Amino acid sequence: MKTHTLLIQDETATGSVLHRLALEISQETLTVRELIAQRVHQEVAAYNQRCEEHYFGLVQPTDSERTLNGYRMRQRKPIDFEKQLYQALQAFQQNGYFILVNDRQVETLDEQIWLGEGATASFVKLTPLVGG
Protein backbone atom coordinates (compact mmCIF):
# COMPACT_ATOMS: atom_id res chain seq x y z
CA MET A 1 0.00 0.00 0.00
CA LYS A 2 1.35 3.40 -0.98
CA THR A 3 1.94 5.89 1.82
CA HIS A 4 2.35 9.63 1.56
CA THR A 5 3.26 12.41 3.91
CA LEU A 6 0.65 14.78 5.29
CA LEU A 7 2.11 18.03 6.54
CA ILE A 8 0.38 19.22 9.71
CA GLN A 9 0.88 22.50 11.47
CA ASP A 10 -0.40 23.66 14.83
CA GLU A 11 -1.46 27.28 14.90
CA THR A 12 -2.84 29.79 17.36
CA ALA A 13 -6.15 31.52 16.69
CA THR A 14 -4.13 34.51 15.45
CA GLY A 15 -2.30 32.40 12.84
CA SER A 16 1.09 31.96 14.55
CA VAL A 17 2.60 28.55 13.77
CA LEU A 18 3.45 26.68 16.98
CA HIS A 19 4.67 23.37 15.63
CA ARG A 20 4.94 21.42 12.37
CA LEU A 21 5.02 17.69 11.86
CA ALA A 22 4.92 15.20 9.03
CA LEU A 23 2.45 12.34 9.40
CA GLU A 24 2.73 9.19 7.28
CA ILE A 25 -0.73 8.32 5.95
CA SER A 26 -1.49 5.07 4.12
CA GLN A 27 -4.95 5.93 2.83
CA GLU A 28 -6.35 8.88 0.91
CA THR A 29 -9.61 9.21 2.85
CA LEU A 30 -10.28 8.77 6.54
CA THR A 31 -12.44 10.27 9.24
CA VAL A 32 -11.45 13.22 11.38
CA ARG A 33 -11.39 10.78 14.34
CA GLU A 34 -8.88 8.56 12.49
CA LEU A 35 -6.73 11.57 11.58
CA ILE A 36 -6.57 12.69 15.23
CA ALA A 37 -5.84 9.11 16.37
CA GLN A 38 -3.01 8.67 13.87
CA ARG A 39 -1.51 12.01 14.84
CA VAL A 40 -1.69 11.34 18.60
CA HIS A 41 -0.35 7.80 18.10
CA GLN A 42 2.69 9.08 16.18
CA GLU A 43 3.40 11.80 18.77
CA VAL A 44 3.09 9.45 21.75
CA ALA A 45 5.16 6.71 20.08
CA ALA A 46 7.93 9.19 19.22
CA TYR A 47 7.99 10.54 22.77
CA ASN A 48 7.85 7.10 24.44
CA GLN A 49 10.77 5.89 22.32
CA ARG A 50 13.03 8.66 23.67
CA CYS A 51 11.34 9.92 26.89
CA GLU A 52 12.97 13.30 26.50
CA GLU A 53 12.37 16.33 28.68
CA HIS A 54 9.87 17.93 26.27
CA TYR A 55 6.77 16.52 24.62
CA PHE A 56 5.55 18.11 21.42
CA GLY A 57 1.96 17.11 20.81
CA LEU A 58 -1.62 18.13 20.30
CA VAL A 59 -2.66 17.60 23.92
CA GLN A 60 -0.67 18.45 27.04
CA PRO A 61 0.12 15.38 29.15
CA THR A 62 -1.21 15.59 32.71
CA ASP A 63 2.18 15.51 34.43
CA SER A 64 3.75 18.37 32.49
CA GLU A 65 3.94 22.12 32.31
CA ARG A 66 3.39 24.29 29.26
CA THR A 67 6.47 25.88 27.71
CA LEU A 68 6.91 28.15 24.73
CA ASN A 69 7.25 25.35 22.16
CA GLY A 70 5.80 22.28 23.87
CA TYR A 71 5.31 20.69 27.28
CA ARG A 72 8.08 20.03 29.80
CA MET A 73 7.64 16.68 31.49
CA ARG A 74 8.05 16.64 35.27
CA GLN A 75 9.09 12.98 35.10
CA ARG A 76 10.49 11.23 32.08
CA LYS A 77 8.08 8.32 31.84
CA PRO A 78 5.99 6.86 29.01
CA ILE A 79 2.77 8.65 28.07
CA ASP A 80 -0.50 6.71 27.86
CA PHE A 81 -1.77 6.82 24.25
CA GLU A 82 -5.38 6.04 25.23
CA LYS A 83 -5.54 8.98 27.68
CA GLN A 84 -3.98 11.35 25.16
CA LEU A 85 -6.39 10.24 22.44
CA TYR A 86 -9.42 10.56 24.72
CA GLN A 87 -8.41 14.10 25.67
CA ALA A 88 -7.70 15.07 22.05
CA LEU A 89 -11.11 13.80 20.87
CA GLN A 90 -12.86 15.46 23.81
CA ALA A 91 -11.08 18.77 23.16
CA PHE A 92 -12.15 18.69 19.49
CA GLN A 93 -15.79 18.13 20.49
CA GLN A 94 -15.60 20.94 23.08
CA ASN A 95 -14.04 23.41 20.62
CA GLY A 96 -10.61 23.44 22.28
CA TYR A 97 -9.23 23.42 18.73
CA PHE A 98 -10.52 23.13 15.22
CA ILE A 99 -9.07 21.51 12.14
CA LEU A 100 -8.72 22.89 8.64
CA VAL A 101 -8.15 20.26 5.95
CA ASN A 102 -7.23 21.71 2.58
CA ASP A 103 -8.30 25.13 3.95
CA ARG A 104 -11.80 23.89 4.85
CA GLN A 105 -12.95 23.50 8.45
CA VAL A 106 -14.10 20.00 9.38
CA GLU A 107 -17.13 19.81 11.65
CA THR A 108 -17.47 16.32 13.18
CA LEU A 109 -15.29 13.38 14.20
CA ASP A 110 -17.07 11.09 11.72
CA GLU A 111 -16.66 13.41 8.72
CA GLN A 112 -14.76 11.80 5.84
CA ILE A 113 -11.80 13.85 4.61
CA TRP A 114 -9.47 13.56 1.63
CA LEU A 115 -5.79 13.43 2.54
CA GLY A 116 -4.23 12.45 -0.75
CA GLU A 117 -0.95 13.74 -2.10
CA GLY A 118 -0.65 17.49 -1.52
CA ALA A 119 -3.26 17.69 1.23
CA THR A 120 -2.69 19.96 4.22
CA ALA A 121 -4.08 20.00 7.75
CA SER A 122 -3.94 22.80 10.32
CA PHE A 123 -4.88 22.27 13.96
CA VAL A 124 -5.87 25.67 15.34
CA LYS A 125 -5.63 25.70 19.13
CA LEU A 126 -8.07 27.92 20.92
CA THR A 127 -7.24 26.91 24.51
CA PRO A 128 -4.39 24.99 26.21
CA LEU A 129 -5.19 21.28 25.92
CA VAL A 130 -4.41 19.05 28.92
CA GLY A 131 -4.35 15.28 28.46
CA GLY A 132 -3.27 12.06 30.16
Side-chain angles (χ1 to χ4, degrees):
M1 183 175 286
K2 183 182 177 213
T3 64
H4 58 275
T5 303
L6 171 67
L7 296 177
I8 294 176
Q9 61 184 35
D10 290 339
E11 302 175 18
T12 65
T14 59
S16 299
V17 175
L18 299 170
H19 182 67
R20 288 186 173 93
L21 77 133
L23 185 65
E24 292 299 316
I25 302 286
S26 60
Q27 63 240 64
E28 285 195 355
T29 60
L30 66 164
T31 65
V32 173
R33 180 187 320 273
E34 291 167 332
L35 171 62
I36 294 169
Q38 287 191 26
R39 179 202 169 141
V40 171
H41 181 267
Q42 182 173 308
E43 291 169 343
V44 169
Y47 175 81
N48 286 346
Q49 187 174 26
R50 296 184 305 276
C51 281
E52 295 175 337
E53 183 178 5
H54 285 84
Y55 175 76
F56 301 98
L58 178 60
V59 181
Q60 180 177 353
T62 303
D63 194 26
S64 69
E65 60 189 21
R66 188 172 181 77
T67 62
L68 184 60
N69 294 319
Y71 308 106
R72 190 171 68 76
M73 301 301 293
R74 290 190 179 97
Q75 295 179 359
R76 294 184 188 186
K77 62 181 183 179
I79 294 173
D80 184 318
F81 163 71
E82 295 293 330
K83 287 181 183 176
Q84 288 297 104
L85 178 58
Y86 175 80
Q87 291 293 5
L89 294 173
Q90 188 114 0
F92 177 81
Q93 291 179 305
Q94 295 173 351
N95 299 316
Y97 65 95
F98 62 91
I99 303 172
L100 299 172
V101 176
N102 301 322
D103 296 322
R104 185 182 66 78
Q105 184 173 344
V106 295
E107 304 291 332
T108 68
L109 289 173
D110 294 322
E111 184 174 336
Q112 288 281 332
I113 50 178
W114 178 83
L115 294 174
E117 203 66 46
T120 60
S122 295
F123 287 67
V124 181
K125 296 181 179 187
L126 304 174
T127 59
L129 306 175
V130 180

